[in-house]
Amino acid sequence: AKMDHSLISASCFTCHNGSTAPGKPANHVVAPNTCESCHTTSRWTPAKMDHSLISASCFTCHNGSTAPGKPANHIVAPNTCESCHSSSRWTPAKMDHNLVNGSCFTCHNGTTAPGKPGNHMSSPNSCESCHTTNRWTPARVDHSLVSTSCSSCHNGSAAPGKPANHITTANSCEICHTTRGWTPAAMDHSGISSSCSSCHNGNNAPGKPASHIQSGNTCESCHRGTSSWSNASMDHNSVTGPCFTCHNGVIARGKPSGHPKNASNACDECHTTRTFDR
């Protein structure tokens, strides 16, 4: 007989059970036996897909053969479509970064997904070196990747800058400090703009030794070079003690052999620091 399905009031599976009439083929998607949910009696194919009935994974059909699969520009990820997509709304997807096995920049390039903001520090595009997918901020900075000067971030705003008790200097941070160990620093005195004693006070840095001549704390008056502390060029105007403190024949030249023997050791009673012979 020529079957008129319009007269049937029972469900399709009453007959289309593989016994009375052909049932679901072997390659049918995994779904319940409610044929009429997707198919119609007037036109069996193509069916109007009701994804809510599917119990198998999306990739069972969306494999590029039975149904369209991942497009060529899809991010590198496993074939568990349902981890990010839903059957009711394919886009936008709810991103599960734990499934991504490509680099962040594959998507976060400013086109597919937001990339580095305009105020980001200069660094390569290996986002995962500092950031994590679970928590984008705060990042754990890998300083070995930074290509700009320290102060571009360590300016007291983006990152902590020089503390209030830092020595006065115009040097860039990396001249003395390193990213591996901020302290101790390898001191470069060439950029110091304050007096020596602002650091060399016996507290921040070694000060005058106990055997130092009596003088003011303007170290640079005698000590000219920061590379060599010794061999100072003596500026007698800075000396606060009597001449004989140094000119005693031990530290510096004392009275010569032809000097009047009855003279006291108060050199400055007769001599001046400008010209000793008058």
Side-chain angles (χ1 to χ4, degrees), residues 237-262:
N237 293 324
S238 298
V239 179
T240 57
C243 304
F244 190 74
T245 306
C246 292
H247 288 282
N248 51 23
V250 178
I251 299 175
R253 289 181 302 167
K255 290 186 290 186
S257 58
H259 195 282
K261 296 181 179 181
N262 295 329

Side-chain angles (χ1 to χ4, degrees), residues 158-243:
K162 289 191 290 189
N165 63 347
H166 195 282
I167 60 176
T168 305
T169 176
N171 276 341
S172 54
C173 314
E174 54 270 20
I175 289 180
C176 297
H177 302 278
T178 67
T179 55
R180 292 184 178 180
W182 195 248
T183 56
M187 189 65 199
D188 182 355
H189 288 86
S190 61
I192 305 301
S193 55
S194 59
S195 64
C196 302
S197 61
S198 61
C199 288
H200 288 280
N201 50 24
N203 185 16
N204 295 335
K208 291 189 293 187
S211 60
H212 195 280
I213 63 175
Q214 297 178 32
S215 64
N217 290 323
T218 53
C219 315
E220 53 273 16
S221 296
C222 298
H223 300 278
R224 305 296 185 183
T226 55
S227 59
S228 179
W229 192 250
S230 59
N231 297 324
S233 177
M234 189 67 197
D235 181 359
H236 287 86
N237 293 324
S238 298
V239 179
T240 57
C243 304

Side-chain angles (χ1 to χ4, degrees), residues 83-95:
S83 297
C84 298
H85 302 278
S86 66
S87 57
S88 59
R89 191 179 184 185
W90 194 248
T91 57
K94 184 180 179 182
M95 189 66 199

